[in-house]
Amino acid sequence: MLQIKRMQGSDIPFAIKLSNQEKWGTTRIDFERLLNLSPRGCFIAYHGRRKVGLTTTTRYGKRLAWIGNVVVDKDFRGKNVGHQLVEHAIAYLQKLRVEHIGLYCFKRNVSFYEDLGFAEDTQFLRLHRKPKRITFRTVPPDLGPAISLKRLLWADRRAFGADRSRLIRLVLSTGAGWHVGSAQNSTGISYLLVKDYHDMYEYGPWVNIRTRRDLPTKILLQILAKTQSKPIEVTCLRDNAQAVTLFKAHDFRVMEEGYRMYFGRKAHIAEDRAQYALGFLDKG
């Protein structure tokens, strides 16, 4: 009989081993951050004494929560473990009266989440770039005035539709990621956060609000110059044509497609045109 229990710090080695089956590269720091943000909202599935699955939730006040890391041991797939984990996470969030519950889902898993009551919202692309040298001559020397953390968090809240300042602060303070950005005037702002894994970099979130048209290109070139030694992955909304065109112009290629999904109904809370990259911070 399946049991679902709260995830503890002692479960992290299992969580890493399980997520490695999907080649996510999720680290101890990632799972510690998720437990810090939501100590009661991360769950492990047990079949007898054996741990067989996990999922995590991240809540942004009462307005929005995100489900991530839904993964089941390969030996127990097709036995309703994933459904029960997600249903448990939904019940937990509903008890807290969260208004919207969202997640990111690759195309191959859409029907799984539709069966659980989630609806497609908008499509995203997962892109990959092989290591490639950027010459010094192509890197812009100056982006303009540096961005303060306070303004960065303001811009992120406006683009994402909810306050994830605790999450971003933890990513930066633990050394799991770093950012480049610029504030151009009273309203114009752009920042890109980079997560550094042992075998790759991941770009995102990247928020761009009312800046000069050339600033996103300058930011991308500066970041590429600092991360050229390893493969890079980034996720952006298909409908953000400027972001898609920019990435493809700098040798990023589409590797997977998927959807942002919301439980029950679509939730128009984000400013999608301001989101150049999503980040998948809720995954890990």
Side-chain angles (χ1 to χ4, degrees):
M1 181 177 178
L2 195 74
Q3 287 185 304
I4 297 175
K5 301 179 182 180
R6 279 172 47 192
M7 183 177 174
Q8 309 290 332
S10 58
D11 294 315
I12 289 178
F14 163 76
I16 293 172
K17 181 179 178 181
L18 194 60
S19 65
N20 283 344
Q21 291 185 6
E22 306 302 311
K23 299 181 180 179
W24 288 345
T26 315
T27 66
R28 170 172 284 276
I29 291 176
D30 292 327
F31 281 115
E32 287 176 346
R33 180 173 65 252
L34 290 165
L35 282 174
N36 185 311
L37 290 165
S38 186
R40 296 179 178 273
C42 301
F43 305 103
I44 300 288
Y46 287 78
H47 184 268
R49 294 185 178 182
R50 180 174 174 178
K51 299 172 185 178
V52 298
L54 75 96
T55 191
T56 59
T57 68
T58 309
R59 184 164 60 96
Y60 308 105
K62 293 287 187 181
R63 192 177 194 198
L64 178 66
W66 220 255
I67 294 176
N69 293 293
V70 181
V71 58
V72 175
D73 188 297
K74 290 181 178 180
D75 293 340
F76 285 83
R77 294 180 183 177
K79 299 181 180 180
N80 206 39
V81 176
H83 273 72
Q84 290 187 60
L85 275 166
V86 176
E87 287 172 343
H88 191 89
I90 292 169
Y92 165 76
L93 295 170
Q94 287 180 324
K95 188 175 181 179
L96 296 175
R97 300 185 183 278
V98 174
E99 186 177 352
H100 302 292
I101 301 172
L103 54 80
Y104 296 119
C105 165
F106 288 116
K107 269 189 172 181
R108 61 183 177 273
N109 297 322
V110 167
S111 60
F112 171 85
Y113 289 107
E114 287 179 335
D115 289 345
L116 287 159
F118 284 83
E120 294 176 7
D121 176 55
T122 192
Q123 195 169 5
F124 66 77
L125 304 175
R126 183 76 168 174
L127 300 104
H128 175 89
R129 186 183 191 273
K130 295 180 180 179
K132 183 178 179 181
R133 184 172 178 79
I134 297 291
T135 63
F136 177 80
R137 227 179 276 178
T138 65
V139 180
D142 183 26
L143 296 176
I147 182 176
S148 68
L149 181 58
K150 182 178 179 180
R151 289 204 67 190
L152 183 156
L153 295 175
W154 169 85
D156 187 81
R157 183 167 59 251
R158 173 171 167 175
F160 182 64
D163 183 2
R164 55 180 174 181
S165 57
R166 283 190 63 214
L167 173 56
I168 292 174
R169 287 180 187 274
L170 279 170
V171 171
L172 297 175
S173 66
T174 58
W178 45 276
H179 76 276
V180 168
S182 176
Q184 291 192 322
N185 48 53
S186 60
T187 58
I189 189 169
S190 184
Y191 91 89
L192 170 55
L193 190 149
V194 178
K195 285 189 67 185
D196 187 356
Y197 294 97
H198 74 278
D199 59 349
M200 61 167 279
Y201 292 102
E202 182 175 18
Y203 290 0
W206 186 1
V207 169
N208 194 70
I209 298 174
R210 295 181 181 175
T211 61
R212 295 192 310 264
R213 291 182 63 87
D214 63 339
L215 183 60
T217 301
K218 288 183 176 181
I219 285 179
L220 181 59
L221 286 172
Q222 282 223 346
I223 293 289
L224 285 173
K226 296 178 180 181
T227 58
Q228 57 188 316
S229 61
K230 293 189 287 192
I232 303 162
E233 292 187 9
V234 64
T235 305
C236 64
L237 297 173
R238 178 185 283 276
D239 289 343
N240 191 331
Q242 289 180 314
V244 174
T245 299
L246 179 59
F247 285 124
K248 288 185 175 181
H250 289 87
D251 301 312
F252 285 82
R253 298 293 177 260
V254 175
M255 55 185 289
E256 283 193 273
E257 300 180 5
Y259 289 89
R260 183 175 64 197
M261 304 182 77
Y262 288 107
F263 181 70
R265 67 189 189 281
K266 294 184 179 181
H268 300 293
I269 61 174
E271 190 173 327
D272 287 347
R273 63 183 178 180
Q275 298 190 72
Y276 270 52
L278 299 177
F280 280 8
L281 294 182
D282 312 86
K283 184 199 78 177

